[in-house]
Amino acid sequence: MCTYQLDRDKQAETQAFFANMTDEQIAGEYPADVKQIGRWHDAANGSGLIIVETDNQESLTAWIMGWSGACTFPIVKPVLDDANARKAIKAMMANQKG
């Protein structure tokens, strides 16, 4: 899960760039091993939330760095869906018993 905040002095320019990206540019925005699950925007405030799926931290960092001239990413942290969270919690509980 990543949150972003556009730099105020670059907000209009960055939003115009994003609004005019082609479908091909959007489709090719991420490295091959980073898959966007969803992206939601608070356009008025220049912030938003992005959910991606990857096993490659370097690729995710490379994508973030591509936007770093226009915004910051105050939160970048791993999150799990229900099934994988339950699996991870059960494994943790089993390790604590042993």
Side-chain angles (χ1 to χ4, degrees):
M1 175 184 75
C2 306
T3 63
Y4 74 87
Q5 179 64 57
L6 297 178
D7 295 340
R8 277 289 181 205
D9 61 336
K10 297 177 184 167
Q11 183 171 338
E13 174 187 343
T14 304
Q15 286 178 330
F17 173 80
F18 178 74
N20 290 301
M21 288 177 75
T22 65
D23 290 342
E24 292 79 19
Q25 287 172 312
I26 294 288
E29 179 181 353
Y30 295 92
D33 51 359
V34 178
K35 177 184 173 190
Q36 179 181 295
I37 304 301
R39 180 162 46 188
W40 297 268
H41 308 274
D42 174 0
N45 292 301
S47 62
L49 169 74
I50 307 154
I51 304 294
V52 297
E53 183 177 335
T54 187
D55 291 328
N56 190 325
Q57 179 63 42
E58 290 82 12
S59 291
L60 179 59
T61 299
W63 171 76
I64 288 170
M65 290 179 68
W67 285 100
S68 67
C71 61
T72 58
F73 290 80
I75 299 172
V76 178
K77 64 180 165 180
V79 294
L80 300 169
D81 61 18
D82 283 357
N84 286 311
R86 291 181 62 203
K87 181 179 172 182
I89 292 166
K90 286 179 182 180
M92 178 189 66
M93 292 168 57
N95 285 338
Q96 288 175 347
K97 291 180 183 178

